[in-house]
Amino acid sequence: MNLHKRLFIPGPTEVFPDVLLQQAKPLIGHRPQEFTDLFVGIVDKLQKFHGSRQWPAVITASGTLFMDITGRSLVQERALCCVNGAFSQRYAATIQNCGKAVDVLDVPWGQAITPEMILERLSSGDYDTLVVCHNETSTGVRNPIYDIGKAVKKEHPDIIYAIDSVSAMGGDKVEPEKIGSDLIFTSTQKCFALPPGLAIGFVSEHALERAADVPHRGRYTDLKGIYDYYQKKQQTPSTPNVSLLYALDYQLDKMLEETQEGRYQRHLSMAQWTRAWANKHFEMFPEKGYESVTVSTIKNTLGKSIADLNKELATRGFMISNGYGKQLKEKTFRIGHMGDWQLANVQEVCWHIEDIWGL
Ligand SMILES: Cc1ncc(COP(=O)(O)O)c(C=O)c1O
């Protein structure tokens, strides 16, 4: 067997053996009471961890499903999509593919979206939905979703505020009511430190009211249908990944023990340390003040080969990420410090990079 490479990439993240093992439990049906108890328990734990009374939809899919759900169930006619990286670009394209009109607020990669930029665009009164990416995994930029929510909800209370927090939620702070979000979602393979396969999204009452008014919601993307089924039976309308739900239930107990604040502080300390390390040897890619707390994107100012670095790291049992896509490959590299890693683990991988490159 090949040497396992510990994952310091921005997802999927390392899953610890005790969590992985939860999936080996004997399977149960998804209609008996036993499943209902498991599922209701997960919903309750998600609400407790995030300090929220919003309903968390837990769906067997990867996070991208919520982009389709936004397009099918939430956008009535026209959305304003903030784009400052590859994933926000994908969100905008997905909504358009669902047949809804999209205008893009385009900001150069590496820079953040601000409330002022958004308010200026929303003043046209053309939009029923606003879409923002919390943590652009392609650039390592963290958009100020709390400030945006405060500004937007004050001036445009009817707008649905949908947020992709795939690479932040569970590590960075996500308190839906304080943000003012109507949908904020993640995937299990990022900061929750679980295998891929479940999409989790907090949904406001406002979003559910909107969904009721949007036609042609499909089935898997029918947010109201999924909610109504949960209200009636406390189960899922189609067959869920029960094995992964066992692992999620177990992991949520650990997360509740650490608390959201504790988890955020741990991620912040890893990010601050990595940033200082990066600034000592290189430069950070994101605009100052908007750096992610879950992934550090670093400019390759020394012109080293990132591909070769990763090959050498692999022989030592580690993996980091090259820059994202054509635009950023070899020009930047990314160190993911998300999930269950501790500061000492990130320091170890950076020590190996220093050793390999002779820094
Ligand atoms: C910010 C962001 N959005 C969306 C996605 C897509 O998530 P998934 O692969 O779970 O569908 C990713 C995956 O890396 C991401 O980082």
Side-chain angles (χ1 to χ4, degrees):
M1 199 171 122
N2 288 335
L3 175 65
H4 171 63
K5 295 184 277 295
R6 278 156 283 177
L7 299 174
F8 288 87
I9 60 177
T13 50
E14 193 73 20
V15 184
F16 291 167
D18 58 324
V19 181
L20 278 175
L21 272 175
Q22 296 303 310
Q23 297 174 109
K25 283 186 181 170
L27 210 61
I28 57 169
H30 58 286
R31 293 298 171 228
Q33 185 63 35
E34 203 180 348
F35 175 80
T36 309
D37 293 344
L38 170 71
F39 201 55
V40 169
I42 286 171
V43 166
D44 182 50
K45 288 174 194 179
L46 281 167
Q47 286 177 325
K48 275 203 185 103
F49 180 80
H50 292 279
S52 177
R53 296 180 67 86
Q54 286 189 4
W55 168 63
V58 180
I59 307 174
T60 295
S62 80
T64 304
L65 178 73
F66 275 110
M67 297 187 182
D68 284 87
I69 285 180
T70 307
R72 293 255 175 234
S73 285
L74 294 178
V75 180
Q76 226 152 15
E77 286 179 14
R78 184 176 289 270
L80 178 66
C81 293
C82 303
V83 172
N84 59 342
F87 292 99
S88 39
Q89 219 163 40
R90 179 193 292 190
Y91 206 161
T94 306
I95 295 171
Q96 210 159 21
N97 281 337
C98 291
K100 305 293 168 71
V102 164
D103 287 334
V104 167
L105 192 174
D106 221 349
V107 170
W109 288 32
Q111 290 180 27
I113 315 278
T114 64
E116 296 73 30
M117 294 173 191
I118 293 176
L119 286 181
E120 196 194 328
R121 292 293 294 270
L122 291 182
S123 64
S124 67
D126 290 343
Y127 306 105
D128 55 67
T129 305
L130 169 71
V131 167
V132 177
C133 182
H134 185 185
N135 191 73
E136 244 308 344
T137 322
S138 58
T139 62
V141 168
R142 175 188 195 233
N143 287 311
I145 56 167
Y146 283 79
D147 293 344
I148 293 170
K150 211 179 283 169
V152 167
K153 286 287 151 170
K154 196 165 148 223
E155 309 235 341
H156 305 276
D158 294 339
I159 277 189
I160 290 288
Y161 180 27
I163 306 172
D164 169 352
S165 185
V166 166
S167 60
M169 199 167 143
D172 202 341
K173 277 241 181 101
V174 169
E175 302 141 293
E177 283 88 341
K178 284 194 192 159
I179 297 165
S181 57
D182 295 299
L183 170 67
I184 183 160
F185 62 90
T186 188
S187 322
T188 40
Q189 79 277 12
K190 302 281 187 183
C191 299
F192 276 62
L194 287 162
L198 295 172
I200 299 168
F202 278 89
V203 181
S204 74
E205 288 288 331
H206 184 194
L208 291 166
E209 283 160 21
R210 168 68 68 82
D213 279 347
V214 177
H216 311 305
R217 298 189 296 270
R219 178 169 289 272
Y220 217 70
T221 48
D222 178 4
L223 193 57
K224 178 155 166 38
I226 300 166
Y227 176 72
D228 288 348
Y229 203 93
Y230 183 76
Q231 286 302 102
K232 210 163 99 196
K233 300 221 161 140
Q234 291 81 54
Q235 295 177 348
T236 57
S238 56
T239 315
N241 184 339
V242 174
S243 307
L244 192 45
L245 287 168
Y246 276 136
L248 172 61
D249 186 50
Y250 176 87
Q251 180 70 337
L252 280 169
D253 285 337
K254 290 172 72 173
M255 289 169 69
L256 280 166
E257 204 173 309
E258 188 177 13
T259 74
Q260 176 164 211
E261 181 61 30
R263 232 169 144 79
Y264 168 66
Q265 290 300 337
R266 178 166 57 76
H267 280 77
L268 187 62
S269 73
M270 290 192 288
Q272 285 172 336
W273 188 90
T274 310
R275 245 175 259 163
W277 178 84
N279 283 323
K280 190 166 137 207
H281 301 289
F282 308 91
E283 276 172 44
M284 288 296 287
F285 181 71
E287 179 179 352
K288 203 166 164 38
Y290 295 97
E291 300 94 341
S292 162
V293 301
T294 59
V295 53
S296 292
T297 303
I298 301 164
K299 282 189 199 169
N300 182 12
T301 47
L302 300 179
K304 304 274 193 187
S305 164
I306 310 299
D308 288 350
L309 170 69
N310 241 343
K311 273 187 210 145
E312 179 57 31
L313 281 173
T315 68
R316 302 176 181 211
F318 297 94
M319 184 181 189
I320 62 158
S321 267
N322 210 318
Y324 190 93
K326 261 193 236 148
Q327 221 164 313
L328 294 178
K329 200 170 177 177
E330 292 296 334
K331 295 193 184 76
T332 63
F333 60 100
R334 294 172 296 162
I335 299 176
H337 30 73
M338 57 174 77
D340 284 341
W341 288 131
Q342 299 287 337
L343 178 58
N345 304 118
V346 182
Q347 288 171 328
E348 194 184 358
V349 75
C350 290
W351 181 85
H352 280 280
I353 297 174
E354 285 183 25
D355 188 49
I356 294 166
W357 278 346
L359 299 177

